[in-house]
Amino acid sequence: MDAREAVTRMLRDLCALVIPLECACGQEGTLLCPSCRTLLQAGAQEVQSVCDALQIVAAARVRERSGAPPEPVGVDYRSPFPVLALGEYAGALQRLVVQWKNGGALVHTGALAQALAPVVRDIVGSEDPALYRLVPVPSRPGSRIRRGEDHMALLARALSRRTGVEVLTVRGSLSGSQAGKGARQRRRRTFRAAGAAAARDRGRDPARGPAPDHPRVILLDDVVTTGSTLRALHEGSPAGAAAVAAVVVASARWPAPVRL
């Protein structure tokens, strides 16, 4: 064993006293095992179809009847924007997210940002990233105190460094707890976005040029359930800022596979 390897092992053992070297799946000796890392690299899928709060009536279908008023036959729904998730909030991915946001394993932020970066780049496409803004869902004050850090703000900044899309900080909170609420009640929760417009470009580098008057917003969250938080954040955005997509780590529900 050479000196470099000995020092590396010693530092790893010392760090393990503070942060146990154990992956969320239980494998010891690593913070993120190859299997879980591969799980994050599987690509994203659209999940807005299973987000109840994002289903907005788009059109009513009718059947024409000779000599009689048209007969309603159905309603079409659409989401105001696509929602892309890395996977279902279950199994290894659920354990990884819980360890990241509640278990103090903020070291996973880099790996999560690396996994979400291609998704954000695909949304931006060939356009200038300066036209877009990443808007992370803000953590509750109590959650930030308990965790010691705003995990979503950390993820947004790490994602910004990898994509060139700047972060738009929304200062507010969800009004009232959503725990135990149904989809209809969750949709009624409003988002207070006071200060969002002022915080949008605070500290902006002048070399990047003026901020866009109407930025294209990419919402960012850890887990999506009904989509009520994303919808409230979209509806409470500053004037002129429109959400074009939402990017999340995991979805509580997963679309059923399409049968051919």
Side-chain angles (χ1 to χ4, degrees):
M1 180 187 301
D2 59 19
R4 177 179 296 180
E5 184 179 353
V7 172
T8 301
R9 180 171 295 183
M10 181 183 68
L11 291 175
R12 186 183 66 180
D13 292 341
L14 287 174
C15 291
L17 296 176
V18 181
I19 304 177
L21 285 177
E22 181 177 335
C23 183
C25 66
Q27 181 173 330
E28 296 182 354
T30 178
L31 288 172
L32 190 62
C33 72
S35 177
C36 289
R37 192 175 295 276
T38 300
L39 182 67
L40 295 179
Q41 298 170 350
Q45 181 173 327
E46 292 190 11
V47 297
Q48 66 272 9
S49 62
V50 293
C51 298
D52 294 343
L54 295 178
Q55 304 310 305
I56 299 174
V57 175
R61 288 177 278 114
V62 297
R63 179 187 298 115
E64 298 292 342
R65 297 185 298 171
S66 178
E71 177 184 16
V73 294
V75 178
D76 296 326
Y77 295 89
R78 63 169 177 80
S79 172
F81 46 79
V83 181
L84 297 119
L86 294 179
E88 185 177 5
Y89 189 59
L93 184 57
Q94 181 180 13
R95 291 191 292 271
L96 177 63
V97 172
V98 170
Q99 187 186 63
W100 169 59
K101 62 184 292 187
N102 294 323
L106 293 175
V107 68
H108 293 326
T109 302
L112 293 172
Q114 184 177 357
L116 292 172
V119 185
V120 173
R121 293 193 196 102
D122 286 343
I123 294 171
V124 174
S126 60
E127 295 185 299
D128 185 355
L131 299 175
Y132 289 78
R133 290 291 183 272
L134 280 171
V135 178
V137 172
S139 300
R140 298 178 185 276
S143 298
R144 289 198 297 271
I145 294 173
R146 175 171 52 85
R147 294 167 180 153
E149 186 54 86
D150 187 339
H151 69 295
M152 288 307 304
L154 287 176
L155 179 60
R157 290 196 293 268
L159 198 50
S160 177
R161 289 193 295 269
R162 288 166 171 80
T163 62
V165 179
E166 295 185 56
V167 178
L168 187 159
T169 303
V170 173
R171 305 189 185 283
S173 61
L174 291 172
S175 58
S177 172
Q178 299 193 76
K181 304 296 184 182
R184 186 182 299 273
Q185 292 172 303
R186 290 167 70 94
R187 281 197 292 270
R188 291 174 180 169
R189 296 293 175 261
T190 57
F191 193 91
R192 299 191 302 272
R200 178 176 56 198
D201 295 295
R202 186 175 298 152
R204 179 180 173 82
D205 184 356
R208 296 196 178 195
D213 292 330
H214 305 294
R216 299 164 192 175
V217 168
I218 301 174
L219 303 178
L220 180 64
D221 203 358
D222 47 21
V223 180
V224 62
T225 305
T226 67
S228 59
T229 300
L230 296 175
R231 180 171 175 177
L233 186 56
H234 164 66
E235 293 175 347
S237 296
V244 297
V247 176
V248 301
V249 177
S251 174
R253 286 182 286 180
W254 200 249
V258 178
R259 295 183 179 180
L260 301 179

